[in-house]
Amino acid sequence: MSSINWFLHHIVSTAAELNSNLLLQKLTAGASNTSCANCGTGLTTHKMTAIKELWRKRSQALFRPRSHFLHGPYPATHFGPKACILPNPTSVMHIQDPASQRLTWNKPPVNVLVIRKIRDESLVEPFKELCRFLVEEKQMMVYVERRVADDALLSKDEAFGSIRNQLCTFREGFDDISDCIDLIICLGGDGTLLYASSLFQGSVPPVMAFHLGSLGFLTPFKFESYKTEVAKVFEGNAAITLRSRLKVKVVKDMLQRTGREPAQQPQEHNGILTHGHSEAGKVTLQLQVLNEVVIDRGPSSYLSNVDLYLNGRLITSVQGDGVIVSTPTGSTAYAAAAGASMIHPNVPAIMVTPICPHSLSFRPIVVPAGVELMITLSPDARNTAWVSFDGRKRQEIQHGDCIKITTSCYPVPSICCHDLVYDWFESLAQCLHWNVRKRQARLAEISDSSDTEN
């Protein structure tokens, strides 16, 4: 089906959904006729007029005026009779209301990546059902990881052999599929969504996650109705949550490694960090992280002692088991276990949470999403530190190394089952049992006469 025919088919389907009989008549008019029998107007004009009217109705149905935005109202810039914010024409920000974020397709989706949880035999049958549906009924090109396609349980199933031979396979770290995937479907738990994020270090295709794992905080869809849900996504107009990611750089001090001269420690002037050598650092790793960056003491018995900088200014030193830098999505993961607050994924922020700090006053903090954090070993640190990214690629951090963290411009567009507010609170209640408590019994009614007698 060509893009134009698909577009007209989509328009006709929408007209049917809106129960517009007149529009259906105009849109489905015979192509063999050159003009309308009633007014003599060309059928092309009729169709274009009908399309404009249809999109006007659909826009009114989808984007009704809201009484409030999730990001709050735009702040007033005048304060009292004489004060105001200094105008800055070079810095103009347009923030879209997250509740109005809807998925649409510029072209019909063709290539679908299916990610299945490994070492879980209970997912083999759902995986086969989904692949058969995508290949046979939807005529999609399905991509899977090679170790998934080589599963012994799939190889033994002769009935699935014809579908298996049509699957496109890839290997993580060897094959780049970032430019050819239109949609990602995850079967499993939250780890499948984290894995999908790690495969795309740039722009991420929309992700549809089915709850077939142990926790499922990030997987809102039920597999029982997968055909209906997947068909809705292919049609477009699904609510999405843009889950922000962290852009992380690990900078190693190469002078210290070669031993040509002692590594120069960063110097501070009025609290601002400066480096003694402009070419000392080399970026050895750059990643997009969905949940969190964890810096800990590793196998050492000493306290972890790291310095935390914000936009080049020393904020504090963390002495304890380590520190967690997380996104709002990651606030319900390791950070929540360490005592941090849980933040809705549409709140633009970065969380800094200490792990078992040796201080009674060190509380987790939330900083603006646009700042740059930098973490280095303190000059007085007795041991090295270790860093991991969404639980992967763990490596050692030594004196002279630093970790730079800021918000990435490539979020993960996670497709919602209902809407972005309901799905989050539903996950809090169902997965984390948030605020579950036995209900307090009401007091028995006491009459006024009994009060008087007492």
Side-chain angles (χ1 to χ4, degrees):
M1 183 182 294
S2 66
S3 299
I4 296 177
N5 290 335
W6 176 87
F7 177 72
L8 289 176
H9 171 74
H10 184 64
I11 293 292
V12 172
S13 300
T14 306
E17 293 175 3
L18 294 178
N19 295 322
S20 179
N21 295 327
L22 179 59
L23 289 177
L24 277 173
Q25 292 175 5
K26 292 181 179 180
L27 289 171
T28 56
S32 60
N33 298 328
T34 58
S35 61
C36 178
N38 296 327
C39 62
T41 305
L43 291 179
T44 302
T45 304
H46 263 315
K47 289 185 178 181
M48 293 307 299
T49 304
I51 288 173
K52 291 179 181 179
E53 185 178 353
L54 174 62
W55 280 112
R56 181 184 61 81
K57 288 187 176 182
R58 182 163 188 173
S59 298
Q60 292 176 352
L62 296 179
F63 305 110
R64 295 184 179 92
R66 292 172 51 84
S67 59
H68 61 279
F69 293 145
L70 290 183
H71 275 163
Y74 189 82
T77 57
H78 288 77
F79 318 107
K82 297 182 179 178
C84 67
I85 292 179
L86 179 66
N88 186 358
T90 62
S91 178
V92 179
M93 180 179 295
H94 301 281
I95 301 177
Q96 182 181 3
D97 178 25
S100 67
Q101 293 170 169
R102 314 288 298 186
L103 172 67
T104 187
W105 301 101
N106 295 324
K107 296 181 180 179
V110 176
N111 301 322
V112 180
L113 170 63
V114 178
I115 297 177
R116 176 174 74 86
K117 184 180 180 181
I118 305 297
R119 297 185 298 275
D120 191 343
E121 295 183 1
S122 65
L123 298 183
V124 174
E125 289 302 321
F127 173 77
K128 291 192 293 186
E129 285 186 35
L130 178 63
C131 290
R132 184 175 288 108
F133 169 73
L134 293 174
V135 173
E136 294 182 346
E137 297 188 30
K138 294 298 181 181
Q139 288 78 48
M140 296 288 170
M141 292 292 296
V142 177
Y143 287 73
V144 298
E145 196 173 3
R146 178 173 296 181
R147 56 178 176 169
V148 173
D150 294 340
D151 193 318
L153 294 176
L154 294 180
S155 303
K156 296 177 182 178
D157 190 349
E158 297 180 359
F160 187 71
S162 60
I163 301 297
R164 181 173 175 269
N165 293 334
Q166 299 181 56
L167 301 178
C168 302
T169 62
F170 71 95
R171 292 182 299 167
E172 181 187 8
F174 293 91
D175 304 315
D176 184 12
I177 60 172
S178 58
D179 293 333
C180 60
I181 299 299
D182 302 320
L183 174 68
I184 304 173
I185 299 180
C186 297
L187 303 178
D190 296 343
T192 58
L193 191 65
L194 295 175
Y195 178 67
S197 171
S198 68
L199 293 176
F200 297 86
Q201 293 299 302
S203 177
V204 185
V207 182
M208 185 179 191
F210 286 93
H211 183 192
L212 292 170
S214 55
L215 183 62
F217 191 90
L218 306 178
T219 55
F221 289 94
K222 305 298 182 183
F223 190 75
E224 290 76 12
S225 57
Y226 76 94
K227 288 187 177 181
T228 302
E229 300 295 347
V230 172
K232 289 180 180 178
V233 171
F234 285 156
E235 292 173 1
N237 188 35
I240 58 173
T241 297
L242 298 182
R243 298 184 179 276
S244 64
R245 295 196 291 179
L246 298 176
K247 183 174 71 172
V248 187
K249 294 181 181 179
V250 178
V251 183
K252 298 286 187 178
D253 188 344
M254 299 304 294
L255 295 180
Q256 183 182 11
R257 303 290 177 267
T258 58
R260 288 177 293 180
E261 60 181 80
Q264 300 183 22
Q265 295 292 340
Q267 304 296 320
E268 297 172 28
H269 299 283
N270 296 325
I272 302 296
L273 182 71
T274 59
H275 291 275
H277 199 291
S278 60
E279 299 179 353
K282 178 182 179 181
V283 177
T284 60
L285 182 65
Q286 180 168 321
L287 290 172
Q288 306 282 331
V289 176
L290 178 58
N291 260 2
E292 74 270 308
V293 179
V294 178
I295 297 95
D296 59 71
R297 59 190 177 95
S300 174
S301 59
Y302 290 112
L303 288 175
S304 173
N305 191 355
V306 296
D307 291 338
L308 176 65
Y309 294 84
L310 191 150
N311 288 343
R313 183 179 295 273
L314 178 65
I315 299 301
T316 189
S317 295
V318 182
Q319 298 182 86
D321 281 351
V323 63
I324 305 168
V325 180
S326 61
T327 63
T329 296
S331 68
T332 53
Y334 193 178
S341 297
M342 294 180 289
I343 302 179
H344 190 277
N346 274 106
V347 177
I350 298 176
M351 289 197 70
V352 179
T353 307
I355 307 173
C356 298
H358 200 252
S359 169
L360 298 178
S361 59
F362 197 164
R363 306 302 302 161
I365 60 173
V366 179
V367 298
V371 304
E372 182 184 67
L373 298 174
M374 187 170 69
I375 299 175
T376 65
L377 275 179
S378 176
D380 300 328
R382 297 184 178 184
N383 60 294
T384 61
W386 289 76
V387 61
S388 61
F389 314 91
D390 281 343
R392 308 181 73 194
K393 299 185 182 297
R394 185 171 171 83
Q395 59 183 270
E396 190 175 15
I397 298 299
Q398 302 184 9
H399 284 285
D401 302 342
C402 72
I403 304 166
K404 296 183 178 181
I405 306 171
T406 188
T407 300
S408 169
C409 63
Y410 298 109
V412 174
S414 179
I415 300 176
C416 301
C417 182
H418 299 97
D419 62 69
L420 68 172
V421 175
Y422 178 87
D423 283 4
W424 192 69
F425 279 100
E426 180 74 4
S427 295
L428 286 182
Q430 297 298 325
C431 301
L432 299 182
H433 302 292
W434 175 62
N435 196 28
V436 173
R437 179 190 184 276
K438 186 176 181 180
R439 298 287 296 181
Q440 185 182 42
R442 61 182 299 179
L443 293 174
E445 293 183 2
I446 303 176
S447 62
D448 296 337
S449 60
S450 61
D451 292 340
T452 306
E453 292 174 359
N454 295 334

PDB file of all heavy atoms in Angstrom, residues 29-56:
ATOM      1  N   ALA A  29     -16.172   8.294  -2.649  1.00  0.00           N
ATOM      2  CA  ALA A  29     -16.802   8.489  -3.961  1.00  0.00           C
ATOM      3  C   ALA A  29     -16.000   7.769  -5.038  1.00  0.00           C
ATOM      4  O   ALA A  29     -14.777   7.680  -4.967  1.00  0.00           O
ATOM      5  CB  ALA A  29     -16.890   9.978  -4.276  1.00  0.00           C
ATOM      6  N   GLY A  30     -16.692   7.219  -6.057  1.00  0.00           N
ATOM      7  CA  GLY A  30     -16.032   6.428  -7.092  1.00  0.00           C
ATOM      8  C   GLY A  30     -14.975   7.233  -7.830  1.00  0.00           C
ATOM      9  O   GLY A  30     -15.189   8.373  -8.233  1.00  0.00           O
ATOM     10  N   ALA A  31     -13.836   6.607  -8.043  1.00  0.00           N
ATOM     11  CA  ALA A  31     -12.734   7.293  -8.716  1.00  0.00           C
ATOM     12  C   ALA A  31     -12.987   7.447 -10.204  1.00  0.00           C
ATOM     13  O   ALA A  31     -12.367   8.267 -10.874  1.00  0.00           O
ATOM     14  CB  ALA A  31     -11.437   6.524  -8.481  1.00  0.00           C
ATOM     15  N   SER A  32     -13.920   6.655 -10.736  1.00  0.00           N
ATOM     16  CA  SER A  32     -14.171   6.738 -12.180  1.00  0.00           C
ATOM     17  C   SER A  32     -14.943   7.988 -12.562  1.00  0.00           C
ATOM     18  O   SER A  32     -14.873   8.448 -13.698  1.00  0.00           O
ATOM     19  CB  SER A  32     -14.934   5.484 -12.640  1.00  0.00           C
ATOM     20  OG  SER A  32     -16.172   5.398 -11.937  1.00  0.00           O
ATOM     21  N   ASN A  33     -15.734   8.544 -11.655  1.00  0.00           N
ATOM     22  CA  ASN A  33     -16.476   9.759 -11.936  1.00  0.00           C
ATOM     23  C   ASN A  33     -15.547  10.958 -11.901  1.00  0.00           C
ATOM     24  O   ASN A  33     -14.657  11.040 -11.058  1.00  0.00           O
ATOM     25  CB  ASN A  33     -17.606   9.941 -10.927  1.00  0.00           C
ATOM     26  CG  ASN A  33     -18.615   8.792 -11.004  1.00  0.00           C
ATOM     27  OD1 ASN A  33     -18.839   8.238 -12.064  1.00  0.00           O
ATOM     28  ND2 ASN A  33     -19.199   8.455  -9.864  1.00  0.00           N
ATOM     29  N   THR A  34     -15.763  11.891 -12.758  1.00  0.00           N
ATOM     30  CA  THR A  34     -14.915  13.070 -12.805  1.00  0.00           C
ATOM     31  C   THR A  34     -15.522  14.258 -12.093  1.00  0.00           C
ATOM     32  O   THR A  34     -14.818  15.193 -11.765  1.00  0.00           O
ATOM     33  CB  THR A  34     -14.629  13.465 -14.265  1.00  0.00           C
ATOM     34  OG1 THR A  34     -15.878  13.693 -14.923  1.00  0.00           O
ATOM     35  CG2 THR A  34     -13.869  12.348 -14.966  1.00  0.00           C
ATOM     36  N   SER A  35     -16.818  14.249 -11.869  1.00  0.00           N
ATOM     37  CA  SER A  35     -17.454  15.376 -11.202  1.00  0.00           C
ATOM     38  C   SER A  35     -18.641  14.874 -10.410  1.00  0.00           C
ATOM     39  O   SER A  35     -19.164  13.784 -10.643  1.00  0.00           O
ATOM     40  CB  SER A  35     -17.907  16.439 -12.213  1.00  0.00           C
ATOM     41  OG  SER A  35     -18.856  15.881 -13.103  1.00  0.00           O
ATOM     42  N   CYS A  36     -19.063  15.709  -9.440  1.00  0.00           N
ATOM     43  CA  CYS A  36     -20.193  15.356  -8.592  1.00  0.00           C
ATOM     44  C   CYS A  36     -21.499  15.494  -9.383  1.00  0.00           C
ATOM     45  O   CYS A  36     -21.702  16.473 -10.109  1.00  0.00           O
ATOM     46  CB  CYS A  36     -20.210  16.252  -7.356  1.00  0.00           C
ATOM     47  SG  CYS A  36     -21.604  15.934  -6.247  1.00  0.00           S
ATOM     48  N   ALA A  37     -22.404  14.524  -9.236  1.00  0.00           N
ATOM     49  CA  ALA A  37     -23.671  14.550  -9.973  1.00  0.00           C
ATOM     50  C   ALA A  37     -24.587  15.655  -9.492  1.00  0.00           C
ATOM     51  O   ALA A  37     -25.458  16.120 -10.236  1.00  0.00           O
ATOM     52  CB  ALA A  37     -24.373  13.187  -9.837  1.00  0.00           C
ATOM     53  N   ASN A  38     -24.413  16.122  -8.261  1.00  0.00           N
ATOM     54  CA  ASN A  38     -25.308  17.126  -7.688  1.00  0.00           C
ATOM     55  C   ASN A  38     -24.903  18.545  -8.054  1.00  0.00           C
ATOM     56  O   ASN A  38     -25.735  19.352  -8.446  1.00  0.00           O
ATOM     57  CB  ASN A  38     -25.383  16.971  -6.176  1.00  0.00           C
ATOM     58  CG  ASN A  38     -25.993  15.628  -5.767  1.00  0.00           C
ATOM     59  OD1 ASN A  38     -26.864  15.101  -6.460  1.00  0.00           O
ATOM     60  ND2 ASN A  38     -25.538  15.091  -4.636  1.00  0.00           N
ATOM     61  N   CYS A  39     -23.621  18.836  -7.873  1.00  0.00           N
ATOM     62  CA  CYS A  39     -23.191  20.230  -8.056  1.00  0.00           C
ATOM     63  C   CYS A  39     -22.184  20.410  -9.185  1.00  0.00           C
ATOM     64  O   CYS A  39     -21.821  21.545  -9.507  1.00  0.00           O
ATOM     65  CB  CYS A  39     -22.612  20.784  -6.760  1.00  0.00           C
ATOM     66  SG  CYS A  39     -21.145  19.884  -6.198  1.00  0.00           S
ATOM     67  N   GLY A  40     -21.677  19.328  -9.745  1.00  0.00           N
ATOM     68  CA  GLY A  40     -20.718  19.447 -10.829  1.00  0.00           C
ATOM     69  C   GLY A  40     -19.293  19.701 -10.379  1.00  0.00           C
ATOM     70  O   GLY A  40     -18.397  19.821 -11.197  1.00  0.00           O
ATOM     71  N   THR A  41     -19.073  19.825  -9.083  1.00  0.00           N
ATOM     72  CA  THR A  41     -17.729  20.076  -8.565  1.00  0.00           C
ATOM     73  C   THR A  41     -16.878  18.812  -8.701  1.00  0.00           C
ATOM     74  O   THR A  41     -17.376  17.696  -8.535  1.00  0.00           O
ATOM     75  CB  THR A  41     -17.793  20.481  -7.078  1.00  0.00           C
ATOM     76  OG1 THR A  41     -18.682  21.590  -6.966  1.00  0.00           O
ATOM     77  CG2 THR A  41     -16.422  20.868  -6.556  1.00  0.00           C
ATOM     78  N   GLY A  42     -15.582  19.005  -8.994  1.00  0.00           N
ATOM     79  CA  GLY A  42     -14.693  17.861  -9.120  1.00  0.00           C
ATOM     80  C   GLY A  42     -14.611  17.065  -7.823  1.00  0.00           C
ATOM     81  O   GLY A  42     -14.662  17.626  -6.724  1.00  0.00           O
ATOM     82  N   LEU A  43     -14.485  15.743  -7.960  1.00  0.00           N
ATOM     83  CA  LEU A  43     -14.441  14.891  -6.770  1.00  0.00           C
ATOM     84  C   LEU A  43     -13.199  15.152  -5.934  1.00  0.00           C
ATOM     85  O   LEU A  43     -13.202  14.978  -4.722  1.00  0.00           O
ATOM     86  CB  LEU A  43     -14.495  13.417  -7.194  1.00  0.00           C
ATOM     87  CG  LEU A  43     -15.836  12.956  -7.797  1.00  0.00           C
ATOM     88  CD1 LEU A  43     -15.753  11.498  -8.195  1.00  0.00           C
ATOM     89  CD2 LEU A  43     -16.954  13.150  -6.776  1.00  0.00           C
ATOM     90  N   THR A  44     -12.101  15.564  -6.573  1.00  0.00           N
ATOM     91  CA  THR A  44     -10.885  15.885  -5.815  1.00  0.00           C
ATOM     92  C   THR A  44     -11.133  17.034  -4.857  1.00  0.00           C
ATOM     93  O   THR A  44     -10.697  17.015  -3.705  1.00  0.00           O
ATOM     94  CB  THR A  44      -9.735  16.241  -6.771  1.00  0.00           C
ATOM     95  OG1 THR A  44      -9.505  15.150  -7.651  1.00  0.00           O
ATOM     96  CG2 THR A  44      -8.462  16.547  -5.988  1.00  0.00           C
ATOM     97  N   THR A  45     -11.862  18.044  -5.309  1.00  0.00           N
ATOM     98  CA  THR A  45     -12.208  19.168  -4.437  1.00  0.00           C
ATOM     99  C   THR A  45     -13.077  18.708  -3.286  1.00  0.00           C
ATOM    100  O   THR A  45     -12.902  19.125  -2.128  1.00  0.00           O
ATOM    101  CB  THR A  45     -12.932  20.264  -5.241  1.00  0.00           C
ATOM    102  OG1 THR A  45     -12.114  20.656  -6.343  1.00  0.00           O
ATOM    103  CG2 THR A  45     -13.228  21.472  -4.366  1.00  0.00           C
ATOM    104  N   HIS A  46     -14.053  17.826  -3.601  1.00  0.00           N
ATOM    105  CA  HIS A  46     -14.912  17.272  -2.550  1.00  0.00           C
ATOM    106  C   HIS A  46     -14.068  16.574  -1.480  1.00  0.00           C
ATOM    107  O   HIS A  46     -14.277  16.749  -0.286  1.00  0.00           O
ATOM    108  CB  HIS A  46     -15.892  16.267  -3.157  1.00  0.00           C
ATOM    109  CG  HIS A  46     -17.240  16.889  -3.440  1.00  0.00           C
ATOM    110  ND1 HIS A  46     -17.886  17.701  -2.534  1.00  0.00           N
ATOM    111  CD2 HIS A  46     -18.072  16.794  -4.529  1.00  0.00           C
ATOM    112  CE1 HIS A  46     -19.048  18.087  -3.049  1.00  0.00           C
ATOM    113  NE2 HIS A  46     -19.180  17.547  -4.263  1.00  0.00           N
ATOM    114  N   LYS A  47     -13.105  15.772  -1.931  1.00  0.00           N
ATOM    115  CA  LYS A  47     -12.309  14.988  -0.981  1.00  0.00           C
ATOM    116  C   LYS A  47     -11.423  15.879  -0.128  1.00  0.00           C
ATOM    117  O   LYS A  47     -11.283  15.678   1.073  1.00  0.00           O
ATOM    118  CB  LYS A  47     -11.465  13.964  -1.726  1.00  0.00           C
ATOM    119  CG  LYS A  47     -12.282  12.822  -2.312  1.00  0.00           C
ATOM    120  CD  LYS A  47     -11.399  11.763  -2.948  1.00  0.00           C
ATOM    121  CE  LYS A  47     -12.237  10.608  -3.473  1.00  0.00           C
ATOM    122  NZ  LYS A  47     -11.427   9.543  -4.079  1.00  0.00           N
ATOM    123  N   MET A  48     -10.801  16.884  -0.725  1.00  0.00           N
ATOM    124  CA  MET A  48      -9.944  17.775   0.043  1.00  0.00           C
ATOM    125  C   MET A  48     -10.755  18.553   1.071  1.00  0.00           C
ATOM    126  O   MET A  48     -10.328  18.752   2.206  1.00  0.00           O
ATOM    127  CB  MET A  48      -9.198  18.727  -0.887  1.00  0.00           C
ATOM    128  CG  MET A  48      -8.177  18.051  -1.785  1.00  0.00           C
ATOM    129  SD  MET A  48      -6.995  17.034  -0.865  1.00  0.00           S
ATOM    130  CE  MET A  48      -6.252  18.276   0.180  1.00  0.00           C
ATOM    131  N   THR A  49     -11.952  19.000   0.697  1.00  0.00           N
ATOM    132  CA  THR A  49     -12.827  19.696   1.646  1.00  0.00           C
ATOM    133  C   THR A  49     -13.226  18.766   2.783  1.00  0.00           C
ATOM    134  O   THR A  49     -13.247  19.154   3.961  1.00  0.00           O
ATOM    135  CB  THR A  49     -14.084  20.226   0.932  1.00  0.00           C
ATOM    136  OG1 THR A  49     -13.688  21.071  -0.149  1.00  0.00           O
ATOM    137  CG2 THR A  49     -14.965  20.997   1.895  1.00  0.00           C
ATOM    138  N   ALA A  50     -13.527  17.499   2.438  1.00  0.00           N
ATOM    139  CA  ALA A  50     -13.913  16.533   3.466  1.00  0.00           C
ATOM    140  C   ALA A  50     -12.761  16.244   4.406  1.00  0.00           C
ATOM    141  O   ALA A  50     -12.946  16.098   5.619  1.00  0.00           O
ATOM    142  CB  ALA A  50     -14.397  15.240   2.798  1.00  0.00           C
ATOM    143  N   ILE A  51     -11.533  16.154   3.869  1.00  0.00           N
ATOM    144  CA  ILE A  51     -10.367  15.888   4.712  1.00  0.00           C
ATOM    145  C   ILE A  51     -10.138  17.028   5.693  1.00  0.00           C
ATOM    146  O   ILE A  51      -9.875  16.821   6.878  1.00  0.00           O
ATOM    147  CB  ILE A  51      -9.119  15.655   3.830  1.00  0.00           C
ATOM    148  CG1 ILE A  51      -9.236  14.296   3.128  1.00  0.00           C
ATOM    149  CG2 ILE A  51      -7.855  15.707   4.665  1.00  0.00           C
ATOM    150  CD1 ILE A  51      -8.142  14.038   2.116  1.00  0.00           C
ATOM    151  N   LYS A  52     -10.236  18.269   5.209  1.00  0.00           N
ATOM    152  CA  LYS A  52     -10.052  19.412   6.104  1.00  0.00           C
ATOM    153  C   LYS A  52     -11.096  19.416   7.212  1.00  0.00           C
ATOM    154  O   LYS A  52     -10.797  19.673   8.386  1.00  0.00           O
ATOM    155  CB  LYS A  52     -10.131  20.714   5.295  1.00  0.00           C
ATOM    156  CG  LYS A  52      -8.965  20.923   4.350  1.00  0.00           C
ATOM    157  CD  LYS A  52      -9.125  22.230   3.571  1.00  0.00           C
ATOM    158  CE  LYS A  52      -7.978  22.428   2.605  1.00  0.00           C
ATOM    159  NZ  LYS A  52      -8.137  23.690   1.819  1.00  0.00           N
ATOM    160  N   GLU A  53     -12.348  19.122   6.844  1.00  0.00           N
ATOM    161  CA  GLU A  53     -13.411  19.103   7.842  1.00  0.00           C
ATOM    162  C   GLU A  53     -13.192  17.969   8.844  1.00  0.00           C
ATOM    163  O   GLU A  53     -13.427  18.126  10.039  1.00  0.00           O
ATOM    164  CB  GLU A  53     -14.760  18.934   7.136  1.00  0.00           C
ATOM    165  CG  GLU A  53     -15.966  19.012   8.088  1.00  0.00           C
ATOM    166  CD  GLU A  53     -17.275  18.897   7.340  1.00  0.00           C
ATOM    167  OE1 GLU A  53     -17.249  18.903   6.081  1.00  0.00           O
ATOM    168  OE2 GLU A  53     -18.317  18.793   8.003  1.00  0.00           O
ATOM    169  N   LEU A  54     -12.704  16.827   8.344  1.00  0.00           N
ATOM    170  CA  LEU A  54     -12.472  15.680   9.217  1.00  0.00           C
ATOM    171  C   LEU A  54     -11.378  15.976  10.233  1.00  0.00           C
ATOM    172  O   LEU A  54     -11.522  15.696  11.426  1.00  0.00           O
ATOM    173  CB  LEU A  54     -12.094  14.464   8.372  1.00  0.00           C
ATOM    174  CG  LEU A  54     -11.670  13.206   9.140  1.00  0.00           C
ATOM    175  CD1 LEU A  54     -12.823  12.720   9.993  1.00  0.00           C
ATOM    176  CD2 LEU A  54     -11.221  12.125   8.190  1.00  0.00           C
ATOM    177  N   TRP A  55     -10.272  16.556   9.775  1.00  0.00           N
ATOM    178  CA  TRP A  55      -9.184  16.841  10.696  1.00  0.00           C
ATOM    179  C   TRP A  55      -9.568  17.928  11.699  1.00  0.00           C
ATOM    180  O   TRP A  55      -9.073  17.939  12.824  1.00  0.00           O
ATOM    181  CB  TRP A  55      -7.916  17.245   9.915  1.00  0.00           C
ATOM    182  CG  TRP A  55      -7.205  16.064   9.371  1.00  0.00           C
ATOM    183  CD1 TRP A  55      -7.062  15.706   8.065  1.00  0.00           C
ATOM    184  CD2 TRP A  55      -6.563  15.033  10.121  1.00  0.00           C
ATOM    185  NE1 TRP A  55      -6.375  14.533   7.956  1.00  0.00           N
ATOM    186  CE2 TRP A  55      -6.045  14.095   9.200  1.00  0.00           C
ATOM    187  CE3 TRP A  55      -6.372  14.816  11.471  1.00  0.00           C
ATOM    188  CZ2 TRP A  55      -5.358  12.966   9.589  1.00  0.00           C
ATOM    189  CZ3 TRP A  55      -5.676  13.669  11.872  1.00  0.00           C
ATOM    190  CH2 TRP A  55      -5.183  12.767  10.939  1.00  0.00           C
ATOM    191  N   ARG A  56     -10.451  18.835  11.284  1.00  0.00           N
ATOM    192  CA  ARG A  56     -10.930  19.823  12.244  1.00  0.00           C
ATOM    193  C   ARG A  56     -11.707  19.133  13.351  1.00  0.00           C
ATOM    194  O   ARG A  56     -11.533  19.419  14.542  1.00  0.00           O
ATOM    195  CB  ARG A  56     -11.809  20.863  11.532  1.00  0.00           C
ATOM    196  CG  ARG A  56     -12.347  21.947  12.459  1.00  0.00           C
ATOM    197  CD  ARG A  56     -13.282  22.884  11.688  1.00  0.00           C
ATOM    198  NE  ARG A  56     -14.437  22.186  11.149  1.00  0.00           N
ATOM    199  CZ  ARG A  56     -15.513  21.890  11.881  1.00  0.00           C
ATOM    200  NH1 ARG A  56     -15.570  22.223  13.161  1.00  0.00           N
ATOM    201  NH2 ARG A  56     -16.534  21.256  11.339  1.00  0.00           N
TER     202      ARG A  56
END
